[in-house]
Amino acid sequence: MGRASGVAHTPWPDDLAARYRAAGYWRGRTFGALLSELAGAHADRTAVVGGSVRLTYRELDDRAHRLAAGWHALGVRPGDRVVLQLPNDADFLPVLFGLSRAGAWPVLALPAHREAELRHFAGTAGAVAVVTAGPERAAAARRVAATVPSVRHVVVAGGRVAGTTDLAEVTAPPRDLADPDPGGVALLQLSGGSTGLPKLIPRTHDDYLYSVRESARICGLRPDDVYLAALPVSHNFPLSSPGVLGALHAGATAVMAPDPFPATAFELVERERVTVTAVVPQLARAYARAAASGGRDLSSLRLLQVGGAPCAPEQAEQVAAALGCALQQVYGMGEGLVCYTRADDPPEVVFGTQGRPISPDDELRVVDPDDPAAPSDAEVAPGEVGALLTRGPYTVRGYYRADAHNATAFTPDGFYRTGDLVRRTATGHVEVVGRIKDQINRGGEKIAVEEVENHLRAHPDVLDAVVVGVPDEYLGQRSLAFVVPAGDASATLTAQGLRQFVRTRGVADFKVPDQVRVVDHFPVTGVGKTSRRELRAEVARRAHERETKEPMMTEAVRARVAAVLGEPADGLADDEDLLARGLDSLRLVDLVERLRELGLDTSFGELAETPTIAAWADLVVREGRG
Ligand code: AMP
Ligand code: DBH
């Protein structure tokens, strides 16, 4: 073991492993053994609801045994990796447990992953099979199988696809298969992949089930609870925090939502009397708005978990009020550490922090983030913002087959560098302030983008906001805010109004977004988190276009100015003061209308601020269709 290539996972040091066992965190139980126990304890209770299928614990257990034997018959052996890409339906848990009983290690791909990602997972893991659903994903999986030699089987749920194995055929009479080592790998989670492709995270039976068990306890799950998996269930949050596994652990029911949108989720809440669900903040806001318009009985809901991305305190509070249930903030990562606000925390903690860790043995260090390339890892003063490092009984010590990356992603003493900027309160609660690399350096002034985003989100007409850094000739970087309006507020939201709003929130001037762009929606990652990477890529694309469009736009603006002035266009210089040239307020109003044709939503006041053709052309390129 150790960090040599080809090993399964980077083990915890012996002394710590012994301590985690002695403390009762690691109980030497596998996924398969857990399911057997649950089937004994809750045999006829409903374990899983997916579409029109309902499985009791006994049925789930039986299916998992048959699938395990089926995988074995296909030649899948202990330690083999299998890419698992199934949507939220009744197959997911039987397949997961079946693979686990066969000793295989599922690689938990998301339905949103495409061919390039699947190839990366299958290739890195050396997977022997890919399990997926639907004709398009099946076709992608077949192309992956054609190029990754280790892949011998493409298994497709829900029907026959040429050249693949129907999942329904992966079944055989239950047989005795050796229970895998509980200290060994149970599954490979995926990192969010904020840079490059997602990394594979080896989680052991011992460590993962510890986090599931404690999560279920912290969330007060009981047999009469009904958990709705609204987010894609292979993601760590809806899988394990406490997620569907936590629901099973408690003898409760896991309901699989085919999509996370309010119409679907609320119908299931009403029909199945759902008591707990988990969403990312963007969805939480959509739920709050949908709940306000009524129509469904949501009275069974007792707890809404919000996590995965930053949630502003105001919005947490609004969401809780709109849904009329308790709210819990959850800060977690596929690598391990999960923090929860607790049911008995005071409101300012529930709304204003992202909770505290699961385990008394989670070690958190908040260190100087100044130089990520040569980290000193010196702790900051208590209460100060710093980069979070963590290790503990369910946080991995290394990514799978990523030796080079592991050398920098972990400290020499085994702490995982989360990349998150946090502050710890005197009570030990964590406030996530931002990401190390999501800092904008605006002429030396550092801007934590989340801070500005939270101010924008506090605006009643704003559904969501993302701030990114844009290269700037003078400042190095300037800030650009993308804003999605709430409901039909798009007509009333203006760049100028939003900048003014941020100013009135009492923030430093340099934090007021240099530019604001109102958009319909954000690109999202597989689990529904806003993709900053895609937004940045779009900014780069536009910057490129801009270089080619700027001269064109300057001419378009010049022509319109000439028209309202009634003068020839070639007599108007780019940078002359047009107010001095007779562009009075009446004509400016006319010009506002004409610039609208170029996609620029501006005001008379904004134009008057810098009354030159060059400045307005710049506005058009930045904020109009330019
Ligand atoms: P992933 O790589 O998908 O496991 O995402 C983990 C990352 O999501 C964390 O390191 C945080 O950056 C972010 N995250 C998760 N939960 C929260 C939260 N409640 N607030 C802010 N950021 C979060
Ligand atoms: O974002 C995450 O990865 C996440 C959020 C909440 C997570 O992995 C978790 C809870 O377990």
Side-chain angles (χ1 to χ4, degrees), residues 257-609:
D259 72 65
F261 304 114
T264 308
F266 287 9
E267 188 190 338
L268 286 168
V269 170
E270 184 178 273
R271 190 183 89 195
E272 301 293 336
R273 306 297 298 158
V274 168
T275 59
V276 181
T277 191
V279 290
V280 292
Q282 293 88 325
L283 268 178
R285 291 191 286 273
Y287 282 19
R289 284 195 300 126
S293 48
R296 291 286 180 188
D297 177 7
L298 306 179
S299 60
S300 56
L301 205 56
R302 71 167 175 84
L303 179 67
L304 181 76
Q305 299 182 287
V306 180
C311 185
E314 289 92 341
Q315 288 194 324
E317 203 166 342
Q318 280 164 18
V319 164
L323 288 169
C325 68
L327 181 133
Q328 177 183 52
Q329 297 212 42
V330 188
Y331 162 54
M333 51 205 74
E335 289 79 0
L337 179 70
V338 182
C339 299
Y340 295 101
T341 58
R342 306 301 204 266
D344 56 0
D345 281 335
E348 66 273 17
V349 169
V350 171
F351 299 131
T353 81
Q354 281 62 55
R356 60 185 169 82
I358 288 178
S359 175
D361 274 302
D362 279 321
E363 299 175 67
L364 279 71
R365 299 183 61 213
V366 182
V367 304
D368 194 333
D370 270 354
D371 187 0
S376 65
D377 293 341
E379 280 188 57
V380 300
E384 293 292 305
V385 172
L388 178 66
L389 311 181
T390 186
R391 66 179 186 188
Y394 59 99
T395 296
V396 291
R397 293 294 181 126
Y399 291 101
Y400 185 65
R401 296 188 172 170
D403 292 349
H405 182 68
N406 284 343
T408 54
F410 295 82
T411 66
D413 51 353
F415 281 81
Y416 167 56
R417 299 185 195 278
T418 65
D420 294 323
L421 287 173
V422 307
R423 178 189 296 122
R424 275 200 104 180
T425 67
T427 52
H429 290 84
V430 177
E431 279 172 41
V432 184
V433 179
R435 297 271 312 159
I436 291 180
K437 47 189 163 304
D438 284 335
Q439 237 184 23
I440 296 174
N441 192 329
R442 187 181 186 279
E445 313 254 43
K446 306 283 183 357
I447 306 174
V449 294
E450 265 94 350
E451 184 189 342
V452 182
E453 288 165 2
N454 282 344
H455 286 302
L456 287 164
R457 289 182 192 124
H459 190 291
D461 292 335
V462 169
L463 182 62
D464 203 0
V466 169
V467 176
V468 300
V470 184
D472 185 280
E473 219 178 311
Y474 303 106
L475 295 165
Q477 275 188 308
R478 63 172 186 268
S479 61
L480 164 61
F482 290 91
V483 172
V484 176
D488 48 12
S490 57
T492 54
L493 276 185
T494 64
Q496 214 190 8
L498 284 166
R499 280 200 292 261
Q500 187 52 29
F501 175 77
V502 174
R503 234 175 244 123
T504 60
R505 307 262 305 166
V507 304
D509 240 15
F510 68 86
K511 292 183 187 168
V512 174
D514 293 302
Q515 294 166 247
V516 178
R517 194 173 295 157
V518 178
V519 297
D520 293 341
H521 64 274
F522 295 141
V524 292
T525 67
V527 73
K529 300 187 194 188
T530 299
S531 174
R532 290 176 189 280
R533 191 150 54 106
E534 293 242 337
L535 281 172
R536 287 204 193 91
E538 186 191 319
V539 168
R541 271 196 302 280
R542 288 181 71 124
H544 176 74
E545 281 181 9
R546 186 179 154 179
E547 280 177 12
T548 52
K549 282 193 176 158
E550 182 112 40
M552 245 166 58
M553 284 305 146
T554 306
E555 289 325 305
V557 172
R558 197 192 317 281
R560 282 163 176 76
V561 173
V564 300
L565 282 177
E567 290 184 27
D570 55 10
L572 298 170
D574 284 6
D575 50 5
E576 70 174 300
D577 181 340
L578 295 167
L579 297 186
R581 186 83 187 223
L583 198 66
D584 55 24
S585 51
L586 219 61
R587 289 181 166 135
L588 267 180
V589 171
D590 185 10
L591 188 62
V592 166
E593 282 312 308
R594 290 172 191 250
L595 292 183
R596 216 177 285 277
E597 294 160 17
L598 299 177
L600 178 65
D601 186 14
T602 183
S603 68
F604 162 90
E606 190 171 34
L607 290 187
E609 263 177 40

Side-chain angles (χ1 to χ4, degrees), residues 21-357:
R21 285 195 186 93
Y25 306 151
W26 294 358
R27 298 200 171 162
R29 191 165 53 174
T30 61
F31 276 56
L34 169 66
L35 182 57
S36 300
E37 279 172 39
L38 294 171
H42 309 287
D44 295 316
R45 296 185 58 85
T46 304
V48 179
V49 177
S52 56
V53 179
R54 308 180 81 84
L55 299 177
T56 64
Y57 276 84
R58 199 199 314 272
E59 288 165 337
L60 170 61
D61 182 52
D62 183 60
R63 283 207 187 188
H65 274 304
R66 290 174 189 279
L67 274 152
W71 290 118
H72 187 85
L74 272 186
V76 172
R77 292 292 174 266
D80 282 350
R81 280 77 59 202
V82 173
V83 177
L84 172 57
Q85 188 190 36
L86 289 179
N88 291 14
D89 66 17
D91 285 328
F92 183 90
L93 284 165
V95 171
L96 180 73
F97 279 104
L99 284 168
S100 196
R101 278 183 170 155
W105 305 348
V107 181
L108 297 178
L110 297 168
H113 284 134
R114 293 288 170 261
E115 186 175 336
E117 287 128 341
L118 282 190
R119 179 168 289 115
H120 165 70
F121 303 146
T124 307
V128 300
V130 177
V131 194
T132 191
E136 276 164 39
R137 292 194 196 95
R142 286 192 65 195
R143 290 192 292 272
V144 168
T147 50
V148 179
S150 62
V151 178
R152 299 194 301 266
H153 305 283
V154 173
V155 175
V156 180
R160 292 219 44 88
V161 177
T164 70
T165 304
D166 186 349
L167 178 63
E169 286 165 15
V170 184
T171 184
R175 52 178 291 167
D176 259 344
L177 295 164
D179 202 27
D181 170 12
V185 176
L187 51 81
L188 293 161
Q189 257 301 354
L190 302 178
S191 72
S194 51
T195 55
L197 286 160
K199 307 234 163 15
L200 277 55
I201 307 167
R203 302 290 303 262
T204 65
H205 295 268
D206 271 337
D207 90 71
Y208 209 67
L209 292 181
Y210 169 51
S211 80
V212 166
R213 185 174 70 241
E214 279 305 290
S215 295
R217 192 186 57 76
I218 288 166
C219 298
L221 287 188
R222 297 184 324 208
D224 57 359
D225 271 309
V226 178
Y227 176 88
L228 180 72
L231 297 172
V233 66
S234 25
H235 189 269
N236 208 53
F237 186 12
L239 186 62
S240 71
S241 297
V244 294
L245 292 178
L248 295 186
H249 204 285
T253 300
V255 176
M256 303 287 186
D259 72 65
F261 304 114
T264 308
F266 287 9
E267 188 190 338
L268 286 168
V269 170
E270 184 178 273
R271 190 183 89 195
E272 301 293 336
R273 306 297 298 158
V274 168
T275 59
V276 181
T277 191
V279 290
V280 292
Q282 293 88 325
L283 268 178
R285 291 191 286 273
Y287 282 19
R289 284 195 300 126
S293 48
R296 291 286 180 188
D297 177 7
L298 306 179
S299 60
S300 56
L301 205 56
R302 71 167 175 84
L303 179 67
L304 181 76
Q305 299 182 287
V306 180
C311 185
E314 289 92 341
Q315 288 194 324
E317 203 166 342
Q318 280 164 18
V319 164
L323 288 169
C325 68
L327 181 133
Q328 177 183 52
Q329 297 212 42
V330 188
Y331 162 54
M333 51 205 74
E335 289 79 0
L337 179 70
V338 182
C339 299
Y340 295 101
T341 58
R342 306 301 204 266
D344 56 0
D345 281 335
E348 66 273 17
V349 169
V350 171
F351 299 131
T353 81
Q354 281 62 55
R356 60 185 169 82

